Amino acid sequence: MDEIAGMDAARSVADACRGRWHRLLDDPAHLTGHVPALDGAAGHRLGRRQVMQAVAASLMLDGLAGCGQGESLFPAVRAPAGIVPGRPDHYASAHVLGGDALGIVVRHTTGRPIKIEGNPHHPASLGATDPWAQASLLDFYDPDRAAGLLYRGRPAGAAALRAELAALRDRLRARQGAGLRLVTGRVTSPTLGRLIDRAVARWPGARWHQWEPAWRTNADAGAVRAYGRPVDLLPYPARADVILALDSDLIGSAPGHVRHARDLAGRRNPTRTARMSRLYAIEPTPTLIGAVADHRFPAAPDALRRLLGMIGAAILQGAALPSDAPHWLAPLIRDLQAHRGAALLHAGPSLAPEDHALVLAVNEALGGRGRTFDLIDPTAYRNVDMASDMAALLDDMQAGRVEALLVLDSNPAFTLPGFADAMARVDLSIALARAPDETSALARWSVPLAHDFECWGDARAFDGTATIMQPQALPLFGAVSAPAILDALTGPEGAGSPGSYDACRLTWRDRLDDAAWRDALALGVVGGTAHAPLDTPLRLPLRDLAPPALPPPLPPAAPDGPRLACRPDPHLWDGRFANNPWLQELPRPATRLVWDNPLLIAPATARALGLVNGAEVEIAAGGRTMRLPVWIVPGQAAGVVVAQFGAGRHVVGAVGRHAGYDTYPLRPAEGAAVTLRPTGRQVAIASTDHHDVMDAAPGDIARQGTLAEFLARPDFLKGDAVGPELYRLPPGGQTAWGMSIDLNACIGCNACVAACGAENNVPVVGKDAVLHQREMHWLRIDHYFDGPEDAPDIRRQPVLCMQCEQAPCEIVCPFGATMHDQEGLNVMVYNRCAGTRFCSNNCPYRVRRFNYGAYAAAEPRPAESRNPDVTVRARGVMEKCTFCIQRIAQARIAHDIDGTPEQVTTACQAACPTRAFTFGDLNDPASDVARRKRSPLDYVLLPEHNTRPRVTYEARIRNPNPEIGT
């Protein structure tokens, strides 16, 4: 039985539930919680028949999910084989963003997914994750997910959809598919690509379009310019002695960014690498890689392009630099040329295609091919110019040449200006979406799409490695997979009507026998699928790829106003994660903003217009006008303003509603001059940047020095660890848990913060509470700026509970709620806490969090999504980092049972892409943490308080070019 037909087969569930729903109908507000399909209809005047249709549609889609919510479910009399209550199970899969797969391992407790970890066998992960992968758990449990078939916004049955698809097949058969258009995101899935190819082959007149609003489209086009064919760049940061990042997303969001961050960090600590790399960054606004660079040079986009032209002309043609070149450019070029075969340039997606072609040519000229980078066949199933592809679709839609439009897991009505208007001219539109969005709201048919945790699939990583994605649970809300809807559109593939498993297994049938299939599922990697390096030569000689003439020099600020740059929100991305509360409240790396996306401006712009953070301006660009608050970003280039898109959704769940501003209407004007007019209004913007300030000089908190200073005296940053003391009460346990944090490795990506919240049930509090400095994150990443605000040195430092042996919090607690155990952990006894907050006031590190409200109870998530090994805290209770004490307890139990060594990996340590965190037993001199604490760079935070913390840091060492200076 196929998935769509299964909706009608579930009608018997409604009969089984008869007699339970009559009480719910007394309270419409309560009914919408049990029947999600009614949520959007609750505010409309509906007749009795329409109300019952909504109930029936929701029940039909629920299928095996049960009759209602938790109270109507019955536990299994016999547990499924292999499941031991209290003992977790782990299953490999992948998290896919923009088609790029990141290997993950999903941890289950009694059959429910509760935590995401990285897959150590996957080349893109190596055991680490990013914030998006960590937060995907909440997307799975999102109560606002699509839960019923809708026809023109009203509940409908599966039979009507099947009839519509049958009639469409008849019309397409007569015209060979002319008028049928399919829109997806970027596809790397061999299975989905094969099924779409099958549909297009069945209907030759049909067309397939791909749209990713935040994809590296310019990089793809630049590769075609340089090599005459589509290729993907495969950089090797670990092999590069000198790296030049040009508004780069190498370690932020580029394909393989988690792996690239690991490789880059491996060359940044002089105590663990024989040769420390040097990193330059030229960028309009701070990025992850720019913040950790040895030299960072702010430059507006047009100035950046001109600087790249100078670099290309000097390296490819031996041209002299113009007289207006900055003083640092010549030493930078000499450094690149001196490291031939060990130099790498990487450009971000904001640069034009010709700039990307020039970067590739410079990399070739520097001898990087096969050393610091390779070229491989594209990982995308079909490589297209998305912008021109979608422009052609819009023209056809406006001209009435599109009869039927099928949108699979994409939201162009929000992300592509003009699409919503064109969509109104299409007779039949069907949108498959995991949650209600702008496109599904406009479509004639809105079909709930299965989450990746609910169906089979596959995807490729940045190097081509494939992963089989196995379902982690039965559908929670009842939904269909992409193979099911394509099967219904084109007819069955072979005998019967295969679901997602059959479609995926058929794709890999010739390559994987049953044993190899099981191995691929267990490891999360299909062996031997990585793409081999290509030997494709440049299409033109190197000299011909250099710019023939440099544009004229620009004044410090363009006379017609600053230029507009558009960037995806660092956590909401293109808007698909707008309803995820973990990502909404996760501080943005460069600004520490939460729940908002103000216009980012340079300090120079703020001074010129007399603006402060939160001041509202009217921005006019390309004939478009909107009002936005501003946020001043130290280190942002003068002459550029940055609009971050992805927030301000119009059709979204309760979390993303009224959160931020929709800046997509400004995207067509990117690069144009803008005018800013202050309105005189002030807007409250939530940022954690000024919260939890420690009483010490930033230079003493986040210590750093240069490689020359380190080579002269390795321990020059160590300082004093302890001072005079009246008494000493060291813990007496056999194990002494401790942590070391390497500031050379930390890139400020916030994966650790997201992982900590997911593991320890840390609640989300909302924008209003954050404005009152009441956020609950146990781990934070502090920012410090050293130097002039227009071009400061950026320092980042993770701060969590220091687990002090001489803890100032313990001596002031009147109830003994915070105390020490024999292994050195500063533990919290929640039942003793009366909420005096004396401990928080006496903590010099400002790492304790107080539940001013019933935050956990108010969270929009089901109880089943929480970690059952961690207590959910109530109002009036203090909480903080526990070193993941539940994991320590599990390791201790395993040791007591079979003698397994007590090896513990904390949530932050496991998630960190760069291995900045090291945790273990300090009493074991051979442990990694003990070795790191013997580093000459090891130092204690705020040593003057004499707290003897178990957490210490490795100071950051920079490797500046002596010709440029520090």
Side-chain angles (χ1 to χ4, degrees):
M1 181 182 298
D2 65 75
E3 296 177 29
I4 296 179
M7 297 179 186
D8 282 339
R11 288 182 184 273
S12 59
V13 178
D15 297 331
C17 292
R18 189 171 295 129
R20 295 181 184 165
W21 291 106
H22 65 282
R23 291 190 178 184
L24 297 177
L25 292 175
D26 295 337
D27 183 1
H30 190 51
L31 176 60
T32 59
H34 287 259
V35 187
L38 276 180
D39 187 39
H44 301 281
R45 294 180 178 271
L46 299 178
R48 178 178 177 275
R49 181 184 300 273
Q50 293 165 334
V51 171
M52 297 311 297
Q53 286 176 343
V55 175
S58 182
L59 291 173
M60 285 187 289
L61 280 170
D62 276 345
L64 296 176
C67 301
Q69 292 188 337
E71 66 271 20
S72 62
L73 298 179
F74 294 89
V77 177
R78 296 180 181 177
I83 293 182
V84 179
R87 184 173 297 176
D89 298 291
H90 301 83
Y91 301 93
S93 186
H95 177 259
V96 181
L97 178 60
D100 187 45
L102 174 70
I104 62 173
V105 175
V106 183
R107 189 171 89 224
H108 289 236
T109 295
T110 58
R112 6 181 216 104
I114 61 167
K115 183 66 172 65
I116 307 298
E117 304 289 2
N119 184 351
H121 303 290
H122 196 276
S125 168
L126 300 183
T129 55
D130 58 22
W132 297 306
Q134 289 292 331
S136 63
L137 186 75
L138 277 197
D139 290 334
F140 172 63
Y141 286 109
D142 183 3
D144 291 324
R145 279 177 56 190
L149 281 174
L150 298 178
Y151 177 76
R152 297 189 186 275
R154 300 294 181 93
L161 176 60
R162 292 200 309 274
E164 184 90 71
L165 291 174
L168 176 61
R169 285 199 302 269
D170 292 339
R171 297 195 300 272
L172 293 175
R173 189 177 300 112
R175 296 193 303 272
Q176 292 296 301
L180 173 63
R181 300 302 174 90
L182 174 64
V183 177
T184 69
R186 178 175 176 267
V187 173
T188 65
S189 166
T191 296
L192 182 57
R194 180 181 63 80
L195 293 175
I196 294 175
D197 274 353
R198 175 175 170 265
V200 174
R202 175 76 181 273
W203 316 116
R207 295 292 180 268
W208 171 24
H209 306 269
Q210 298 178 70
W211 174 241
E212 288 287 347
W215 184 247
R216 295 173 54 84
T217 306
N218 287 348
D220 293 342
V224 174
R225 282 174 179 256
Y227 295 101
R229 54 157 295 188
V231 294
D232 282 356
L233 176 71
L234 193 61
Y236 303 127
R239 303 179 188 176
D241 292 338
V242 178
I243 299 175
L244 173 58
L246 301 160
D247 197 14
S248 170
D249 59 347
L250 178 66
I251 62 175
S253 57
H257 60 275
V258 172
R259 170 63 179 271
H260 299 328
R262 170 75 60 87
D263 291 345
L264 179 71
R267 295 287 305 276
R268 300 298 295 165
N269 189 322
T271 67
R272 284 188 287 279
T273 181
R275 186 182 182 90
M276 187 177 175
S277 63
R278 179 173 293 139
L279 177 59
Y280 300 92
I282 309 174
E283 56 192 19
T285 192
T287 63
L288 289 184
I289 196 168
V292 300
D294 299 302
H295 293 286
R296 180 183 176 273
F297 307 111
D302 40 12
L304 171 57
R305 294 195 65 191
R306 189 165 189 274
L307 291 169
L308 175 58
M310 295 179 190
I311 295 170
I315 293 178
L316 300 181
Q317 299 175 341
L321 294 178
S323 59
D324 65 315
H327 72 280
W328 47 263
L329 190 57
L332 187 156
I333 293 173
R334 286 194 294 270
D335 203 8
L336 291 172
Q337 293 173 323
H339 290 84
R340 179 180 172 80
L344 173 68
L345 280 70
H346 188 271
S350 65
L351 273 71
E354 53 269 27
D355 298 327
H356 282 274
L358 180 57
V359 167
L360 291 169
V362 172
N363 278 326
E364 294 277 6
L366 292 173
R369 177 81 78 96
R371 298 174 180 175
T372 61
F373 77 96
D374 268 318
L375 300 176
I376 59 174
D377 285 319
T379 58
Y381 188 85
R382 184 168 72 91
N383 215 68
V384 298
D385 183 344
M386 295 183 186
S388 60
D389 197 37
M390 292 299 289
L393 173 61
L394 287 180
D395 289 342
D396 288 344
M397 292 167 67
Q398 291 285 6
R401 292 189 289 268
V402 178
E403 178 193 357
L405 177 69
L406 179 61
V407 182
L408 291 177
D409 197 21
S410 185
N411 189 16
F414 176 66
T415 61
L416 182 61
F419 190 91
D421 293 336
M423 192 173 174
R425 297 177 177 269
V426 178
D427 290 337
L428 175 60
S429 53
I430 303 172
L432 270 76
R434 294 188 175 95
D437 60 26
E438 290 76 2
T439 303
S440 64
L442 294 174
R444 177 185 291 188
W445 281 96
S446 174
V447 182
L449 178 65
H451 190 276
D452 287 343
F453 286 4
E454 298 171 333
C455 60
W456 291 85
D458 48 22
R460 292 191 183 273
F462 72 106
D463 65 347
T465 299
T467 292
I468 308 295
M469 301 160 60
Q470 53 185 323
Q472 306 295 322
L474 291 173
L476 296 183
F477 298 97
V480 300
S481 62
I485 201 70
L486 290 172
D487 177 72
L489 179 64
T490 60
E493 184 177 29
S497 299
S500 60
Y501 171 81
D502 302 285
C504 188
R505 189 67 184 95
L506 183 61
T507 301
W508 297 96
R509 178 183 58 189
D510 295 336
R511 185 183 183 99
L512 302 176
D513 59 21
D514 289 344
W517 171 262
R518 288 191 295 270
D519 290 342
L521 293 179
L523 292 178
V525 172
V526 181
T529 52
H531 289 178
L534 301 173
D535 57 2
T536 305
L538 283 169
R539 184 172 56 90
L540 297 173
L542 290 175
R543 290 179 58 87
D544 294 340
L545 284 169
L550 296 174
L554 294 170
D560 51 352
R563 304 285 173 174
L564 174 66
C566 297
R567 301 288 186 272
D569 185 281
H571 293 153
L572 306 186
W573 197 233
D574 56 9
R576 69 187 68 189
F577 303 118
N579 206 52
N580 192 304
W582 284 353
L583 294 176
Q584 283 279 11
E585 197 157 293
L586 191 64
R588 307 314 188 254
T591 60
R592 318 308 294 154
L593 291 167
V594 298
W595 294 100
D596 256 320
N597 62 326
L599 187 71
L600 306 183
I601 64 173
T605 305
R607 291 192 298 268
L609 297 177
L611 299 175
V612 297
N613 285 335
E616 186 183 69
V617 298
E618 183 178 84
I619 177 173
R624 295 169 173 82
T625 302
M626 70 168 38
R627 292 191 172 192
L628 293 170
V630 302
W631 194 264
I632 305 168
V633 180
Q636 182 160 310
V640 62
V641 296
V642 178
Q644 293 184 329
F645 55 85
R649 291 277 303 276
H650 308 291
V651 181
V652 70
V655 171
R657 204 169 296 152
H658 311 301
Y661 302 84
D662 178 14
T663 61
Y664 272 109
L666 294 175
R667 285 203 75 188
E670 183 169 12
V674 303
T675 59
L676 302 178
R677 183 183 66 83
T679 66
R681 182 170 174 261
Q682 195 71 21
V683 179
I685 302 296
S687 172
T688 64
D689 194 44
H690 58 287
H691 300 180
D692 306 307
V693 178
M694 290 183 285
D695 186 16
D700 188 47
I701 294 175
R703 300 181 187 179
Q704 74 173 23
T706 66
L707 181 60
E709 293 173 312
F710 173 81
L711 295 175
R713 186 164 69 90
D715 62 349
F716 74 109
L717 291 170
K718 194 171 187 64
D720 295 328
V722 295
E725 54 193 7
L726 295 176
Y727 64 92
R728 174 87 173 100
L729 297 174
Q734 293 183 350
T735 304
W737 299 111
M739 177 177 284
S740 174
I741 303 176
D742 185 4
L743 298 184
N744 297 283
C746 178
I747 59 175
C749 67
N750 282 300
C752 55
V753 182
C756 174
E759 172 70 20
N760 294 291
N761 297 328
V762 175
V764 170
V765 300
K767 178 178 176 178
D768 290 341
V770 175
L771 286 170
H772 288 86
Q773 303 189 29
R774 293 177 177 178
E775 66 274 9
M776 297 299 294
H777 291 132
W778 288 5
L779 169 62
R780 70 177 190 267
I781 300 180
D782 287 343
H783 282 204
Y784 302 99
F785 299 98
D786 183 18
E789 61 181 359
D790 294 310
D793 176 48
I794 303 173
R795 306 186 189 187
R796 289 172 175 166
Q797 182 177 43
V799 181
L800 63 162
C801 176
M802 297 289 118
Q803 307 292 339
C804 309
E805 292 184 2
Q806 305 285 98
C809 55
E810 297 176 7
I811 58 176
V812 296
C813 179
F815 304 101
T818 177
M819 54 184 293
H820 242 71
D821 71 3
Q822 62 181 358
E823 295 181 341
L825 298 181
N826 178 253
V827 297
M828 280 294 304
V829 184
Y830 297 129
N831 287 344
R832 294 180 182 175
C833 182
T836 64
R837 291 172 286 158
F838 294 166
C839 56
S840 179
N841 293 336
N842 215 40
C843 175
Y845 306 102
R846 304 291 184 255
V847 291
R848 288 178 164 265
R849 300 288 178 261
F850 183 69
N851 284 272
Y852 284 91
Y855 300 134
E859 279 192 293
R861 59 183 294 194
E864 292 80 9
S865 66
R866 300 188 186 276
N867 186 350
D869 295 325
V870 179
T871 301
V872 178
R873 285 76 61 188
R875 182 182 180 216
V877 172
M878 187 69 67
E879 58 185 76
K880 63 161 190 79
C881 168
T882 65
F883 270 172
C884 293
I885 193 171
Q886 67 279 4
R887 297 191 177 194
I888 294 174
Q890 291 166 356
R892 186 183 302 119
I893 292 171
H895 175 75
D896 292 342
I897 292 174
D898 56 18
T900 302
E902 292 188 37
Q903 299 292 333
V904 178
T905 302
T906 62
C908 56
Q909 178 187 8
C912 181
T914 61
R915 294 185 290 189
F917 298 86
T918 303
F919 179 78
D921 181 9
L922 299 178
N923 287 340
D924 179 5
S927 66
D928 290 340
V929 68
R931 285 197 295 268
R932 282 205 178 187
K933 284 181 178 286
R934 291 194 292 268
S935 166
L937 297 176
D938 184 75
Y939 75 94
V940 170
L941 184 60
L942 304 183
E944 61 273 15
H945 290 277
N946 222 27
T947 59
R948 292 185 175 267
R950 287 287 180 87
V951 178
T952 58
Y953 295 85
E954 285 188 273
R956 180 188 175 200
I957 297 298
R958 297 171 59 241
N959 184 19
N961 187 332
E963 291 188 70
I964 300 176
T966 59

